[in-house]
Amino acid sequence: MEINLGKLPFDLDFHPSSPLVAAGLINGDLHLYRYAVDSQPQRLLEVHAHDESCRATRFVDSGRVILTASPDCSILATDVGTGKAIARWKEAHGDAINRLVNLTETTIASGDDEGYIKVWDTRQRACCNTFHAHEDYISDVTFVTDTMQLLGTSGDGTLSVCSLRKNKIQSRSEFSEDELLSLVIMKNGRKVICGTQTGTLLLYSWGHFKDCSDRFLGHPMSIDTLLKLDEDTLISGSEDGVIRLVGILPNRIIQPLAEHSEYPIERLAFSNDRKFLGSISHDQMLKLWDLQELFDNRQGMPENQMVEADNDEDEMDMDVKPEKSSKGTRRKKLDKGKSSKTSAADFFADL
């Protein structure tokens, strides 16, 4: 299934229990769609949530509310049923907000372009914790429920660990010489996997965050988004527009699953029943992929198309090639140029 959003999307999120998907767009709009197998998705809401771009969106309160965040430094709560604004935190951050992540039923985390991560109580509409964890934009955040810790990645090339219980930054990695763009925790909590600007996956061992324990090449361009499929396998979305199935320890590119477009993939997400994989890209399309069909197609591929990567760290370090533009730079340029007639194709031709 495909949905033409009409504008470049920055984020998407699936409803926690219903067949609904939301997308935040570069012009500040929030779109909400109902989808079903063998039928065209139906748009339920089109809300102008922000005067600047809508960089992040998340369902909260059991799916009754959608939160959106923007470079205007605000977070807006919108009623899913009516599309009406419930509340707006006008100065939620001191700089552009880049990321929203669900923590619990009543708490979320937000990250901004100056490296701040904040935790919010959605019932009290108040900030609970603030961490100046990084020196550059927050690219991704994930939450470890058992230990009440937040892990964050940033354009400053570091990984951070923040404790909600102690309200402090517990650990921060050394500079990795590469922007960290995406993050998942795998191997039953023993490994933290980070996608980078140069296309390398960095593997950190839990409790040993100062430096990565392994580097895995295989992606030709930046790894902008990661999803954990199971404890041994993840799905990656890359700047080359390809969605890949990746094995971790042993490290290998198992198979390209799909090609969204020739433009960077901004975000991937699973539907609540994990029947669909959602992807958005700079082609202005939201695509819903039937996961079973993707895996059935993979099983039908010849075995010689399974790609193994060399895990020798010295060799891999030599193979790393710098990219011409970072994800943070792309977003800022797109935000500044959103009112012009410049298309995604024109923008990438200029990089």
Side-chain angles (χ1 to χ4, degrees):
M1 285 184 282
E2 296 185 356
I3 301 170
N4 188 342
L5 299 168
K7 297 290 182 180
L8 190 151
F10 276 154
D11 201 7
L12 84 158
D13 194 33
F14 285 90
H15 192 277
S17 58
S18 300
L20 304 176
V21 61
L25 309 184
I26 191 171
N27 65 344
D29 284 359
L30 168 69
H31 286 192
L32 179 66
Y33 296 86
R34 182 182 299 278
Y35 60 90
V37 178
D38 299 327
S39 65
Q40 185 64 25
Q42 175 189 4
R43 188 165 68 195
L44 303 180
L45 289 178
E46 181 179 2
V47 176
H48 189 63
H50 301 274
D51 289 335
E52 297 187 47
S53 64
C54 183
R55 283 193 186 175
T57 181
R58 281 295 177 273
F59 285 97
V60 297
D61 193 18
S62 299
R64 290 185 286 268
V65 176
I66 307 177
L67 297 182
T68 54
S70 171
D72 66 11
C73 304
S74 75
I75 298 175
L76 174 68
T78 300
D79 186 282
V80 170
T82 65
K84 294 182 178 180
I86 299 172
R88 187 187 295 270
W89 295 273
K90 289 186 177 180
E91 297 180 355
H93 279 257
D95 212 295
I97 304 172
N98 197 49
R99 199 78 170 98
L100 286 176
V101 176
N102 299 89
L103 306 186
T104 68
E105 182 65 27
T106 58
T107 55
I108 61 160
S110 56
D112 69 23
D113 276 2
E114 290 297 316
Y116 283 87
I117 299 174
K118 291 189 176 185
V119 178
W120 302 86
D121 185 321
T122 57
R123 296 168 303 181
Q124 301 296 324
R125 301 176 186 174
C127 181
C128 311
N129 308 81
T130 300
F131 305 99
H132 192 189
H134 296 277
E135 305 305 321
D136 205 336
Y137 71 95
I138 302 298
S139 56
D140 206 357
V141 177
T142 193
F143 181 56
V144 184
T145 305
D146 293 343
T147 59
M148 296 292 287
Q149 290 171 303
L150 281 174
L151 275 66
T153 52
S154 170
D156 66 10
T158 64
L159 168 71
S160 66
V161 182
C162 302
S163 171
L164 299 192
R165 288 174 179 158
K166 298 180 180 179
N167 194 29
K168 71 174 187 177
I169 302 168
Q170 287 187 310
S171 183
R172 187 173 170 186
S173 73
E174 295 176 355
F175 174 54
S176 65
E177 300 183 359
D178 205 350
E179 292 185 32
L180 304 188
L181 304 180
S182 47
L183 168 69
V184 290
I185 300 174
M186 299 180 65
K187 297 292 181 179
N188 297 303
R190 298 194 305 273
K191 291 291 180 179
V192 178
I193 319 299
C194 298
T196 69
Q197 179 62 35
T198 57
T200 304
L201 283 173
L202 303 185
L203 282 66
Y204 293 84
S205 296
W206 188 265
H208 303 276
F209 297 111
K210 287 301 179 183
D211 197 7
C212 64
S213 59
D214 198 2
R215 296 172 182 264
F216 166 44
L217 288 184
H219 294 76
M221 302 179 78
S222 66
I223 307 167
D224 293 343
T225 179
L226 293 173
L227 279 182
K228 183 171 86 171
L229 183 63
D230 54 42
E231 297 300 335
D232 303 310
T233 317
L234 60 82
I235 297 175
S236 66
S238 178
E239 188 181 351
D240 64 359
V242 177
I243 301 169
R244 294 175 173 87
L245 187 66
V246 182
I248 298 297
L249 297 176
N251 299 332
R252 60 176 183 161
I253 302 291
I254 299 173
Q255 184 67 47
L257 290 176
E259 183 175 6
H260 182 110
S261 71
E262 61 182 316
Y263 302 120
I265 295 175
E266 279 289 329
R267 195 75 65 202
L268 297 172
F270 290 126
S271 61
N272 66 83
D273 55 9
R274 290 174 74 95
K275 290 183 178 179
F276 291 98
L277 172 68
S279 63
I280 52 172
S281 178
H282 294 196
D283 63 350
Q284 304 182 4
M285 302 297 290
L286 190 164
K287 297 187 179 183
L288 302 180
W289 308 88
D290 186 304
L291 271 176
Q292 191 59 55
E293 287 185 7
L294 290 180
F295 292 132
D296 287 346
N297 291 338
R298 180 180 72 85
Q299 290 170 2
M301 297 296 288
E303 192 170 337
N304 62 10
Q305 292 194 23
M306 307 285 273
V307 181
E308 290 262 3
D310 188 347
N311 282 325
D312 183 86
E313 289 191 16
D314 292 334
E315 232 176 87
M316 287 193 292
D317 287 343
M318 292 171 60
D319 288 340
V320 174
K321 296 179 181 179
E323 287 301 316
K324 54 190 174 183
S325 176
S326 75
K327 183 176 182 179
T329 301
R330 288 204 312 262
R331 282 199 165 192
K332 289 175 182 178
K333 284 186 176 181
L334 286 166
D335 277 333
K336 289 179 180 178
K338 69 176 182 176
S339 59
S340 73
K341 298 295 184 181
T342 304
S343 67
D346 293 333
F347 174 77
F348 286 102
D350 291 339
L351 292 180

